[in-house]
Amino acid sequence: GRTLYLAMTNRSNAATIVETRGPGFAMPPESFFVPYPDPPHSLSREPEAEELADVVDLFYEKLEIVGMGENDPGVVFAGMGEPLLRMDQIRETIEQVHESRHGVPFRVSTNGLFPPSAAVALADAGISNATIALATADPTQYAELMRPESGDHATVCG
């Protein structure tokens, strides 16, 4: 696909998607996904909003959007970890991008282990859609698999 996925962090408030899928799971090579290296590697730091906005701008310079933007693949805040741990950078990135590219649609991929106020903050920031990864429908299995720092199955499923 042509969607731009912005890796926000390796940090998480629960097991990561790779951890929940088991030891044999690997991201597909065609995704070009590479987690941030561990410190003290120079690339181990998390990107700032300005850097993320620059990446979005470069992506859209090479993209051909037709008509009213029906083919605009948008931008997804995602990554190895939980992007909502960097909510301030998400908001700042969207603000910076929308200064010059008003119609860029933004989405987030999250584990959903946040209070309902997070959904309001995402909407206020300009997120049009959220994908919530639900590892299992069984609350006990969810706790075993996800090992959340706070919250539980009910936090995600209400």
Side-chain angles (χ1 to χ4, degrees):
R2 301 175 335 157
T3 302
L4 175 62
Y5 287 85
L6 295 176
M8 299 298 293
T9 185
N10 285 352
R11 296 179 293 125
S12 188
N13 57 351
T16 67
I17 190 167
V18 173
E19 292 170 323
T20 63
R21 300 229 174 139
F25 178 78
M27 296 298 278
E30 62 273 9
S31 75
F32 299 106
F33 177 79
V34 178
Y36 294 115
D38 291 328
H41 193 283
S42 63
L43 295 177
S44 65
R45 69 174 185 78
E46 297 170 334
E48 296 300 324
E50 185 175 337
E51 295 168 298
L52 294 165
D54 288 346
V55 169
V56 173
D57 196 48
L58 287 170
F59 175 74
Y60 274 89
E61 281 180 8
K62 301 192 180 330
L63 202 59
E64 291 185 32
I65 305 293
V66 297
M68 298 298 290
E70 301 87 24
N71 70 331
D72 188 339
V75 177
V76 180
F77 294 103
M80 175 69 106
E82 174 52 50
L84 295 189
L85 294 176
R86 301 197 67 222
M87 187 62 189
D88 288 342
Q89 287 76 23
I90 289 173
R91 183 183 37 75
E92 290 173 27
T93 301
I94 293 171
E95 286 174 2
Q96 288 182 30
V97 169
H98 281 172
E99 286 176 10
S100 59
R101 298 186 183 279
H102 308 291
V104 174
F106 285 94
R107 304 188 313 260
V108 67
S109 181
T110 176
N111 61 26
L113 288 166
F114 292 86
S117 59
V120 174
L122 288 169
D124 289 346
I127 296 289
S128 57
N129 292 298
T131 301
I132 300 172
L134 181 61
T136 177
D138 178 81
T140 303
Q141 190 179 35
Y142 182 86
E144 292 170 5
L145 189 60
M146 292 299 293
R147 304 179 308 278
E149 292 175 4
S150 64
D152 58 14
H153 191 268
T155 304
V156 179
C157 296

Coordinates of all heavy atoms in Angstrom, one line a residue, residues 5-10 16-17 27 33 36 76-83 109:
Y5 N 3.2 5.1 7.3 CA 3.2 4.7 8.7 C 4.3 5.4 9.4 O 5.5 5.2 9.1 CB 3.2 3.2 8.9 CG 2.0 2.5 8.5 CD1 1.7 2.1 7.2 CD2 1.0 2.2 9.4 CE1 0.6 1.5 6.8 CE2 -0.2 1.6 9.0 CZ -0.4 1.2 7.7 OH -1.6 0.6 7.3
L6 N 4.0 6.1 10.5 CA 5.1 6.8 11.2 C 5.3 6.1 12.5 O 4.4 6.0 13.4 CB 4.6 8.3 11.6 CG 4.5 9.2 10.4 CD1 4.0 10.5 10.8 CD2 5.8 9.3 9.6
A7 N 6.5 5.5 12.7 CA 6.8 4.8 13.9 C 7.1 5.9 15.0 O 8.0 6.7 14.9 CB 8.0 3.9 13.7
M8 N 6.3 5.8 16.1 CA 6.4 6.8 17.1 C 7.4 6.4 18.2 O 8.1 7.3 18.8 CB 5.0 7.1 17.7 CG 4.0 7.7 16.7 SD 4.5 9.2 16.0 CE 4.4 10.3 17.4
T9 N 7.4 5.2 18.6 CA 8.1 4.7 19.8 C 8.2 3.2 19.8 O 7.4 2.5 19.2 CB 7.5 5.3 21.1 OG1 8.3 4.9 22.2 CG2 6.1 4.7 21.3
N10 N 9.2 2.7 20.6 CA 9.2 1.3 20.9 C 8.6 1.0 22.3 O 8.3 -0.1 22.6 CB 10.7 0.8 20.9 CG 11.3 0.6 19.6 OD1 10.6 0.7 18.5 ND2 12.6 0.4 19.5
T16 N 3.8 -5.6 23.1 CA 3.7 -5.1 21.7 C 3.0 -6.1 20.8 O 2.9 -7.2 21.1 CB 5.1 -4.7 21.2 OG1 5.8 -5.9 21.0 CG2 5.8 -3.8 22.1
I17 N 2.6 -5.6 19.6 CA 2.0 -6.5 18.7 C 2.9 -7.6 18.3 O 2.5 -8.8 18.1 CB 1.5 -5.7 17.4 CG1 0.6 -6.6 16.6 CG2 2.7 -5.1 16.6 CD1 -0.1 -5.9 15.5
M27 N 7.8 -8.9 11.0 CA 7.1 -8.0 10.1 C 7.5 -8.3 8.7 O 8.6 -8.7 8.4 CB 7.5 -6.5 10.4 CG 7.0 -6.0 11.8 SD 5.2 -6.0 12.0 CE 4.8 -4.5 11.3
F33 N 9.6 -2.2 7.8 CA 9.5 -1.8 9.2 C 10.8 -2.2 9.9 O 11.2 -3.4 9.8 CB 8.3 -2.4 9.9 CG 8.3 -2.1 11.3 CD1 7.8 -0.9 11.8 CD2 8.7 -3.0 12.3 CE1 7.8 -0.6 13.1 CE2 8.7 -2.8 13.6 CZ 8.2 -1.5 14.0
Y36 N 13.1 1.0 16.3 CA 14.3 1.9 16.7 C 15.3 1.0 17.4 O 14.9 0.2 18.2 CB 13.8 3.0 17.6 CG 12.9 4.0 16.9 CD1 11.6 4.1 17.3 CD2 13.4 4.8 15.9 CE1 10.8 5.0 16.6 CE2 12.6 5.7 15.2 CZ 11.3 5.8 15.6 OH 10.4 6.7 14.9
V76 N -0.6 7.2 9.2 CA -0.9 6.4 10.4 C 0.2 6.6 11.4 O 1.3 6.3 11.1 CB -1.2 4.9 10.1 CG1 -1.6 4.2 11.3 CG2 -2.3 4.8 9.0
F77 N -0.2 7.0 12.6 CA 0.8 7.0 13.8 C 0.7 5.5 14.3 O -0.3 5.1 14.7 CB 0.4 8.0 14.8 CG 0.5 9.4 14.4 CD1 -0.7 10.1 14.0 CD2 1.7 10.0 14.3 CE1 -0.6 11.4 13.6 CE2 1.8 11.3 13.9 CZ 0.7 12.0 13.5
A78 N 1.9 4.9 14.3 CA 1.9 3.5 14.7 C 3.3 3.2 15.3 O 3.8 4.0 15.9 CB 1.6 2.6 13.5
G79 N 3.8 2.0 15.0 CA 5.1 1.6 15.5 C 5.2 0.4 16.3 O 4.2 -0.3 16.5
M80 N 6.4 0.0 16.7 CA 6.6 -1.2 17.5 C 5.9 -1.0 18.9 O 5.3 -1.9 19.4 CB 8.0 -1.4 17.7 CG 8.4 -2.6 18.7 SD 7.9 -4.1 18.0 CE 9.6 -4.7 17.6
G81 N 5.9 0.2 19.4 CA 5.3 0.5 20.7 C 3.9 1.1 20.6 O 3.3 1.1 19.5
E82 N 3.5 1.8 21.6 CA 2.2 2.4 21.7 C 2.3 3.9 21.4 O 2.8 4.7 22.1 CB 1.6 2.3 23.1 CG 0.3 3.0 23.3 CD -0.7 2.7 22.3 OE1 -1.0 1.5 22.0 OE2 -1.3 3.7 21.8
P83 N 1.8 4.3 20.2 CA 1.9 5.7 19.8 C 1.3 6.8 20.7 O 1.7 7.9 20.8 CB 1.3 5.8 18.4 CG 0.5 4.5 18.3 CD 1.1 3.5 19.2
S109 N -3.0 3.8 15.2 CA -3.1 2.4 15.5 C -2.7 2.2 17.0 O -1.5 2.5 17.3 CB -2.3 1.5 14.6 OG -2.4 0.2 14.8

